[in-house]
Amino acid sequence: MTKLTYIAPDGTRFDVEAENGSTVMENAIRNAVPGIEAECGGACACATCHVYVDEAWTAVVGEPEAMEEDMLDFAYDVRPNSRLSCQIKVRDELDGLVVTVPERQG
């Protein structure tokens, strides 16, 4: 299992164990992380699973693809380390990944 850490807008940490092949968004929903709405269910058709990837992890997570970049245009307070959590697949290399949930979605 891969360990993920979500930091909620109020600073609360949620440490979860995630299966490889799942997404960061799916694990947030399963573990009731506040602020991840995921209105489209992970289809990359909204921006309600927006997260900030911790700077130490941006290179490992990688850059968003074109479709994700287009959807990030609808997100609130987009930053260089913004990603849609539905597009980040859990894999061994992400063990210890830290993401922060923005104050609000879209």
Side-chain angles (χ1 to χ4, degrees):
M1 296 287 250
T2 299
K3 182 182 171 193
L4 306 176
T5 298
Y6 301 84
I7 301 174
D10 70 359
T12 304
R13 292 174 62 96
F14 292 80
D15 295 316
V16 305
E17 296 285 328
E19 286 188 35
N20 286 351
S22 64
T23 66
V24 172
M25 180 273 301
E26 290 168 337
N27 288 284
I29 297 299
R30 277 189 208 119
N31 291 280
V33 175
I36 301 288
E37 297 169 16
E39 289 176 4
C40 76
C44 197
C46 72
T48 61
C49 69
H50 176 216
V51 294
Y52 303 119
V53 174
D54 186 274
E55 299 292 342
W57 289 95
T58 54
V60 180
V61 170
E63 296 291 319
E65 296 199 8
M67 188 169 145
E68 180 182 353
E69 279 189 1
D70 289 345
M71 291 315 306
L72 279 167
D73 289 341
F74 299 100
Y76 173 76
D77 192 21
V78 175
R79 301 175 186 174
N81 60 332
S82 287
R83 289 293 308 268
L84 297 182
S85 58
C86 70
Q87 298 301 297
I88 304 172
K89 289 266 192 235
V90 176
R91 57 191 195 276
D92 288 338
E93 296 81 20
L94 296 184
D95 189 40
L97 174 67
V98 177
V99 297
T100 301
V101 180
E103 269 182 42
R104 65 183 178 99
Q105 295 289 352

